Amino acid sequence: MHQVKGVVARAKGQPVELVTINVPDPGPGEALVQVQACGVCHTDLHYREGGINDDFPFLLGHEAAGVVEAVGPDVTGVAPGDFVVLNWRAVCGDCRACNRGEPWYCFATHNATQRMTLAEGPDAGTELSPALGIGAFAEKTLVAAGQCTKVDPAARPAAVGLLGCGVMAGIGAAINTGAVTRGRSVAVIGCGGVGVAAIAGSALAGASPIIAVDIDAKKLAKAKEMGATHTVDSSSADPVAAIQELTGGFGADVVIEAVGRPETWKQAFYARDLAGTVVLVGVPTPDMLVPDLPLIDVFGRGGSLKSSWYGDCLPSRDFPMLVDLYQQGRLDLDAFVTEEIGIGDIEAAFEKMHHGDVLRSVVIL
Ligand code: APR
Ligand code: ZN
Ligand code: ZN
């Protein structure tokens, strides 16, 4: 058992607290990880607001890199001393999806079996729910060994840890789900962390043009730095007409929706080429409905309407590849790290999310 500091959301809507937690030694199939860096994601805030589920208290944090300290008895994939990026979808390797070669659709993903617990306060001993099965705003955390992917140990933890969630979702929406390749036209609607990552992924794949759409001029400036060739401010211009005009009247081969709203998905639907692909990577809320569309417009367009969950990634394939591209200077993951902060500064980082100046605040441990 290890006693370490961790950031816990004890009750709905309450500020997070830095407390002492108990982290068990790894059992079968588990790994104990010394966390080195962990990004602050909107999903952490959703947990603390009770927007995901009511399984309080939560141990927050899930976009992390660190070093394996110990592994359980039967673990062979990683070993103590390995530098790893954590993922929230440890695939089983043996379900119907895994067996047909589509492990990103695995429906038997797993986390650590043992639970971390609160070590102080009146509720000491209470089991913690780790955010996305990770819980990495902590000096050490316990995960399933399959949640650890070994990457180049020379890489900067604050940058590569971000591959654990939003940056992978965006890059994967482009290169995995959208199958973006050289010369394909891409439009990305919504240029927050996820959308900008989709732009970086499209640039990496050689897409042209890469059209960034947002209602915020600051986001469009950042999108341009990350590889967008054109920008459209949809607070003043019609994004569908603008995308068509920039693609010779056809619409984009791939339109990536990275907001998660019906009206922007509808823009994506009409802004694609007749044989184009729409990729929905923004996460809608449960009350949102598919917008009204004449069925003839669906019939009249070929192509495909897809969604991308976690960038349809396979961590064991995609994390080492993207870390290598980063190390070679071909993928600028540093650009996503707006600031490095201490483990006590998470509430301040949540506050900054609302102002739109920060792509990612990253906690350094
Ligand atoms: N049209 C275009 N852009 C919009 C619109 C709109 N109507 N509304 C919002 N945006 C832009 C915002 O200005 C912002 O730049 O969408 C972007 C959303 O970015 P973030 O809030 O930073 O969210 P991000 O982390 O990128 O995630 C995007 O994916 O993972 C999910 O839950 C996440 O649904 C969210 C989405
Ligand atoms: Zn599986
Ligand atoms: Zn996240």
Side-chain angles (χ1 to χ4, degrees):
M1 185 74 83
H2 306 255
Q3 290 212 325
V4 300
K5 289 286 180 198
V7 174
V8 168
R10 264 200 163 94
K12 186 168 178 160
Q14 295 301 306
V16 298
E17 298 169 42
L18 183 60
V19 298
T20 306
I21 61 167
N22 295 312
V23 182
D25 284 315
E30 295 175 345
L32 176 71
V33 177
Q34 292 167 358
V35 181
Q36 293 181 323
C38 183
V40 183
C41 176
H42 287 81
T43 303
D44 294 305
L45 183 56
H46 289 169
Y47 271 111
R48 109 127 155 61
E49 288 173 340
I52 310 264
N53 60 50
D54 282 327
D55 298 339
F56 289 93
F58 293 108
L59 176 62
L60 299 180
H62 59 275
E63 302 190 336
V67 173
V68 175
E69 178 173 316
V71 297
D74 59 345
V75 170
T76 53
V78 284
D82 284 350
F83 178 57
V84 294
V85 174
L86 302 184
N87 74 74
W88 43 269
R89 285 184 59 72
V91 300
C92 79
D94 199 30
C95 69
R96 187 164 161 267
C98 285
N99 281 323
R100 71 177 177 224
E102 295 179 324
W104 41 91
Y105 293 132
C106 176
F107 48 78
T109 58
H110 56 284
N111 303 316
T113 307
Q114 299 184 86
R115 301 300 291 268
M116 296 179 270
T117 57
L118 282 170
E120 61 175 90
D123 45 357
T126 306
E127 290 190 343
L128 292 163
S129 305
L132 292 172
I134 293 181
F137 290 147
E139 293 159 317
K140 297 181 186 185
T141 191
L142 185 74
V143 293
Q147 291 180 267
C148 300
T149 305
K150 210 174 149 176
V151 299
D152 181 352
R156 177 187 175 200
V160 300
L162 299 183
L163 290 172
C165 183
V167 172
M168 183 70 246
I171 295 176
I175 65 173
N176 291 335
T177 316
V180 171
T181 53
R182 71 213 178 308
R184 290 294 169 135
S185 54
V186 175
V188 177
I189 302 178
C191 300
V194 173
V196 160
I199 288 167
S202 300
L204 197 61
S208 175
I210 301 172
I211 305 160
V213 180
D214 206 292
I215 50 175
D216 179 341
K218 284 194 304 261
K219 301 299 180 109
L220 291 172
K222 188 75 185 175
K224 199 116 203 208
E225 281 171 34
M226 300 297 285
T229 58
H230 301 78
T231 59
V232 175
D233 185 339
S234 58
S235 67
S236 51
D238 171 9
V240 176
I243 292 167
Q244 281 168 343
E245 194 182 320
L246 290 165
T247 51
F250 295 109
D253 293 317
V254 181
V255 186
I256 298 170
E257 200 280 6
V259 185
R261 297 195 58 82
E263 61 271 22
T264 39
W265 185 85
K266 189 170 180 178
Q267 291 166 359
F269 179 88
Y270 284 110
R272 73 186 158 127
D273 178 84
L274 283 186
T277 303
V278 174
V279 177
L280 175 62
V281 62
V283 184
T285 54
D287 56 307
M288 292 176 182
L289 300 177
V290 175
D292 271 345
L293 290 172
L295 195 54
I296 189 73
D297 286 358
V298 178
F299 174 74
R301 282 147 204 273
S304 49
L305 305 173
K306 294 183 160 187
S307 68
S308 182
W309 209 52
Y310 204 1
D312 288 343
C313 78
L314 183 55
S316 56
R317 176 194 65 189
D318 295 340
F319 289 4
M321 169 188 72
L322 293 170
V323 171
D324 287 349
L325 289 167
Y326 165 60
Q327 290 295 83
Q328 293 160 9
R330 295 160 72 189
L331 172 63
D332 187 4
L333 294 178
D334 292 323
F336 292 92
V337 184
T338 310
E339 57 169 6
E340 296 189 349
I341 62 172
I343 194 172
D345 302 331
I346 287 165
E347 279 298 327
F350 285 156
E351 191 51 43
K352 284 179 204 156
M353 279 179 180
H354 301 305
H355 304 308
D357 299 321
V358 172
L359 274 182
R360 276 292 183 272
S361 303
V362 182
V363 174
I364 304 298
L365 291 125

